[in-house]
């Protein structure tokens, strides 16, 4: 899996689960928590939102802080079917060095759980904006 696929700005039905993880990781790497939050599933948003709360959670939680402004990241792998996927991502936190014999910042792996959202035709429904899209249900470190 390649971390450099098309970087989308918001959920759309044509985007793959890989595109969603790429968009979220690129947004977090750029420090853009609002854009990353757009790809959270409605159920995830209920727990972690609104976006300012999501941003504070990432900034203040030592498990998730390395995702912000990381020096780089890469896919490790992805498993799943047409409805649910689990993506494994390796994050290289900022501050690491590639110099010989340098002290390395530990690499951290995260598992993104994603699901394909149901198709919603009622524009008043909270799921309408992500109707038929892949969204992130959770992200777990370790």
């Amino acid at each position: 899996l390649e971390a450099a696929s098309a970087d989308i700005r918001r959920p759309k039905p044509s985007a793959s689960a890989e595109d969603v993880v790429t968009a979220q990781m690129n947004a977090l790497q750029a420090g853009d928590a609002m854009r990353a939050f757009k790809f959270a599933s409605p159920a995830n948003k209920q727990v972690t939102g609104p976006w300012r709360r999501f941003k504070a959670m990432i900034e203040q939680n030592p498990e998730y802080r390395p995702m912000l402004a990381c020096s780089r990241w890469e896919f490790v792998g992805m498993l799943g079917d047409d409805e649910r996927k689990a993506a494994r991502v390796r994050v290289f936190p900022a501050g690491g060095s590639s110099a010989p014999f340098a002290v390395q910042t530990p690499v951290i792996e995260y598992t993104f759980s994603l699901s394909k959202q149901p198709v919603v035709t009622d524009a008043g429904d909270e799921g309408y904006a992500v109707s038929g899209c892949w969204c992130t249900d959770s992200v777990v470190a370790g």
Side-chain angles (χ1 to χ4, degrees):
L1 293 170
E2 192 60 43
S5 64
D7 194 13
I8 54 176
R9 296 287 197 199
R10 59 181 170 71
K12 55 185 181 180
S14 62
S16 68
E18 293 88 345
D19 292 338
V20 169
V21 173
T22 296
Q24 285 190 300
M25 283 305 306
N26 287 347
L28 292 170
Q29 186 176 25
D32 190 347
M34 183 193 286
R35 183 163 43 116
F37 186 68
K38 288 178 183 179
F39 296 93
S41 68
N44 188 353
K45 286 180 177 179
Q46 286 181 349
V47 175
T48 62
W51 81 266
R52 282 185 172 88
R53 181 172 178 252
F54 172 77
K55 180 181 179 187
M57 177 189 75
I58 293 174
E59 290 174 341
Q60 297 166 10
N61 186 324
E63 268 190 15
Y64 297 107
R65 192 179 313 126
M67 298 172 96
L68 281 176
C70 62
S71 62
R72 68 184 178 95
W73 67 274
E74 64 189 19
F75 278 104
V76 176
M78 185 169 292
L79 298 171
D81 56 31
D82 292 342
E83 299 296 319
R84 298 196 162 291
K85 292 195 185 280
R88 192 87 169 139
V89 171
R90 184 173 295 132
V91 171
F92 298 82
S97 172
S98 59
F101 309 110
V103 175
Q104 294 295 313
T105 304
V107 172
I108 302 165
E109 290 192 2
Y110 297 89
T111 300
F112 285 66
S113 295
L114 300 102
S115 61
K116 187 85 160 188
Q117 301 304 298
V119 174
V120 175
T121 56
D122 178 3
D125 188 294
E126 77 172 308
Y128 184 74
V130 294
S131 176
C133 299
W134 282 100
C135 290
T136 300
D137 295 317
S138 66
V139 178
V140 178

